Amino acid sequence: MTAPREMRLAGVVVAGRPGLADVHVHGARIEAVTPVAGAPGPDTDVVLPGLVDLHTHLRQPGGEEAETIDSGTRAAAAGGFTDVFAMANTSPVTDTVDRVERVRDWARTASARVHPVAAATIGLAGHDLVDVDRLADAGVTVFSDDGRCVDDAALVLALLRAAARHGTVFAQHAQSGSIVRDGVVNARVAATLGVPGWPAEGEQAVIGRDLALAAATGGHLHVCHVSTAGAVDLVRAARRAGLPVTAEVTPTTSC
């Protein structure tokens, strides 16, 4: 009979002061609840599994006036999030193993675990793929040019093939540049303001194409900030068909 192994699970408190804690489990028994080193600890031992934010902008490096790894993860921990995925649209862009490791080094004393998301294309430029194999070998699990759409279907195909090969995820900012062009706001609002709009078709065209490529490759597609009913319908139909697709929604309409 195999002896029970000890596990360390992250949890958040449900009463009292929130904090980040390690839950030490041996077999079926919780042996101890201890604060994570360098993080604010809870004032009670009542815990639930921590939440995970798949789409976080910690802005470090290059945008520290807006957010830092320290400030962003303190806010995450206060809200019950023990893990956050940090998007790559920093300055410089997180598009190499060295830059991923630098984010990890900064996050060693963070209040939540930080998982660097690597860019899908070098410099977020949409032209050349990052070294997906090397980044995946370094532990990167999500690739995304979030903030910009990877419009090139051949690049998306390559990314999803790599996702199938490595068990990683391609997270797409679904907004066709050729359709949206110089749009600045939701098309309905734009019509009242007299400015260029973001038509819903700009979101749905990208999602439909990428779902077809996910079906062809078996690679996991994650659709960032879904904002239209048509896009929701596309994702629902794909999931019913068993395609490897997930999505997140935004509180405001972006197309």
Side-chain angles (χ1 to χ4, degrees):
M1 184 174 179
T2 305
R5 62 187 180 90
E6 182 174 324
M7 298 181 292
R8 294 173 70 246
L9 307 173
V12 293
V13 300
V14 295
R17 187 187 69 241
L20 190 66
D22 281 330
V23 182
H24 302 267
V25 179
H26 190 271
R29 180 182 177 84
I30 296 177
E31 298 286 352
V33 178
T34 58
V36 171
D43 61 1
T44 177
D45 287 351
V46 180
V47 296
L48 288 174
L51 300 173
V52 177
D53 190 339
L54 295 174
H55 189 143
T56 309
H57 292 282
L58 297 180
R59 303 301 181 190
Q60 185 179 349
E64 288 85 351
E65 71 282 357
E67 191 74 273
T68 66
I69 290 171
D70 176 66
S71 66
T73 58
R74 281 190 285 112
F81 289 82
T82 58
D83 293 75
V84 298
F85 283 73
M87 284 297 180
N89 54 345
T90 52
S91 181
V93 174
T94 309
D95 56 7
T96 67
V97 171
D98 287 345
R99 290 173 182 174
V100 166
E101 292 300 338
R102 181 169 57 174
V103 172
R104 287 174 176 160
D105 286 342
W106 284 327
R108 291 191 191 283
T109 58
S111 300
R113 287 187 292 243
V114 176
H115 307 269
V117 174
T121 66
I122 296 172
L124 307 177
H127 302 307
D128 301 295
L129 289 185
V130 296
D131 191 338
V132 176
D133 294 337
R134 188 159 177 253
L135 284 159
D137 287 343
V140 171
T141 57
V142 180
F143 294 81
S144 181
D145 276 3
D146 183 63
R148 302 182 186 182
C149 180
V150 181
D151 267 320
D152 189 319
L155 293 180
V156 175
L157 180 63
L159 285 161
L160 288 171
R161 282 175 173 161
R165 187 166 66 248
H166 291 289
T168 53
V169 176
F170 168 53
Q172 174 71 293
H173 177 105
Q175 192 176 56
S176 169
S178 62
I179 295 176
V180 173
R181 296 185 182 273
D182 59 349
V184 295
V185 72
N186 165 276
R188 294 179 184 175
V189 176
T192 65
L193 297 177
V195 298
W198 293 337
E201 294 81 4
E203 179 175 88
Q204 294 160 29
V206 172
I207 294 173
R209 179 202 66 185
D210 290 355
L211 288 173
L213 297 176
T217 61
H220 187 148
L221 172 68
H222 179 76
V223 185
C224 296
H225 35 65
V226 167
S227 66
T228 63
V232 171
D233 290 341
L234 287 169
V235 172
R236 279 179 173 159
R239 289 183 59 80
R240 289 193 190 105
L243 295 186
V245 57
T246 50
E248 64 195 51
V249 297
T250 176
T252 58
T253 305
S254 64
C255 282

